[in-house]
Amino acid sequence: MNTTNTAAADLEIAPGVRAPMLGLGTWPLLGEEAADSVARGIANGYRHLDTAQKYGNEDAVGEGIRRSGMAREQLWVTSKLSLPGHSRAGAIQSYDAALKRMGLDYLDLFLVHWPNPQLGGYVEACRGLQDLVDAGRLRAWGVSNFKATHLDEVLAAGLKPAINQIQVDPQHLQKPLLEANAARGIATAAYSPLGRAGDFLLDPAITGPATAHSKTPAQIVLRWHLDAGRLAVPKSASDARQRENREVFDFSLTPAERAGIDALDTGAGPRLDSDEYGH
């Protein structure tokens, strides 16, 4: 098994700000199931927790954090704003509301969940998030589901998101958008990093490395994300799967193995078009 050249467990996404590369996704968990999953996830080693206003579980994620007994400064907490936050003042109000729901004093990362270009407010929302960072109330801000054209409008306003969280899996590589993020110095975080149907987990491009490294196919795909320098936030409510997803820091893939997984890309875009869908 290759145990050399493994990627770090965290990534600098803004000057002096490092985020754990592997996070615990929480959609669509709600209520007690979400709180319990978060508390167990922290016990199983997760330090990065991902939620959103739209998920309806920010309160439960906050409860899970309290149950864990983990010191707040040892955790990285991400949430995302929805439509009411699409203005400079609205972004700040959405942030305050998220903190109240979660029972926290600050977040590490707050994202504009969808650009909603028909509203024309995402640049001002980003300005509000930068205000929060400048005031020392938020560690970093970013966006989610933004296309290169959306990113360029934000950058043209003198604003730079730390992260663009997008759908990435072996069949939906979104290579042009990955390249756009990189060219602009914006980190990529992958949601649904293991896909939804998961049929590609049976492909020899994944099962071959799984055998070679004595890992599961899911672990191979998560390592593929990390080796490419992407954050990944898989959702899991089971102890066994949570622990399995964490056991990806003791090996790395060869260039040929990574290329083989890259080749599974179908060229299909994300499940939802961010020029048409949003909330």
Side-chain angles (χ1 to χ4, degrees), residues 184-201:
R184 291 156 180 77
I186 298 169
T188 298
Y191 69 77
S192 299
L194 298 175
R196 294 201 169 191
D199 292 344
F200 56 77
L201 293 175

Side-chain angles (χ1 to χ4, degrees), residues 44-210:
N44 285 327
Y46 287 88
R47 297 295 179 263
H48 178 167
L49 310 165
D50 183 274
T51 181
Q53 176 185 344
K54 180 66 174 179
Y55 299 171
N57 64 11
E58 287 173 315
D59 56 345
V61 171
E63 172 61 22
I65 290 171
R66 287 185 289 278
R67 286 185 194 177
S68 76
M70 182 66 62
R72 171 65 185 90
E73 60 271 19
Q74 298 300 312
L75 299 173
W76 178 279
V77 184
T78 298
S79 192
K80 313 173 193 74
L81 63 83
S82 288
L83 286 172
H86 276 247
S87 67
R88 189 170 187 171
I92 295 171
Q93 291 164 2
S94 291
Y95 182 69
D96 288 336
L99 294 182
K100 184 175 181 180
R101 285 189 292 269
M102 299 185 78
L104 299 177
D105 294 328
Y106 70 95
L107 295 181
D108 299 279
L109 181 66
F110 202 43
L111 308 177
V112 180
H113 204 158
W114 290 87
N116 295 290
Q118 72 280 6
L119 294 181
Y122 62 79
V123 172
E124 286 304 298
C126 292
R127 199 177 304 281
L129 298 186
Q130 183 62 53
D131 289 342
L132 289 166
V133 171
D134 291 343
R137 300 190 56 212
L138 172 66
R139 295 188 67 199
W141 67 272
V143 298
S144 184
N145 301 296
F146 274 45
K147 297 181 180 181
T149 52
H150 307 139
L151 295 175
D152 285 341
E153 283 200 46
V154 174
L155 292 166
L159 301 163
K160 184 180 177 183
I163 275 180
N164 188 12
Q165 187 183 109
I166 60 175
Q167 179 188 349
V168 185
D169 65 55
Q171 290 183 332
H172 301 84
L173 187 54
Q174 294 211 69
K175 186 176 180 181
L177 186 49
L178 294 180
E179 292 174 347
N181 287 343
R184 291 156 180 77
I186 298 169
T188 298
Y191 69 77
S192 299
L194 298 175
R196 294 201 169 191
D199 292 344
F200 56 77
L201 293 175
L202 301 177
D203 193 280
I206 293 172
T207 59

Side-chain angles (χ1 to χ4, degrees), residues 32 161 171 251 265 276:
E32 175 59 26
Q171 290 183 332
F251 76 107
D265 181 31
E276 300 173 1

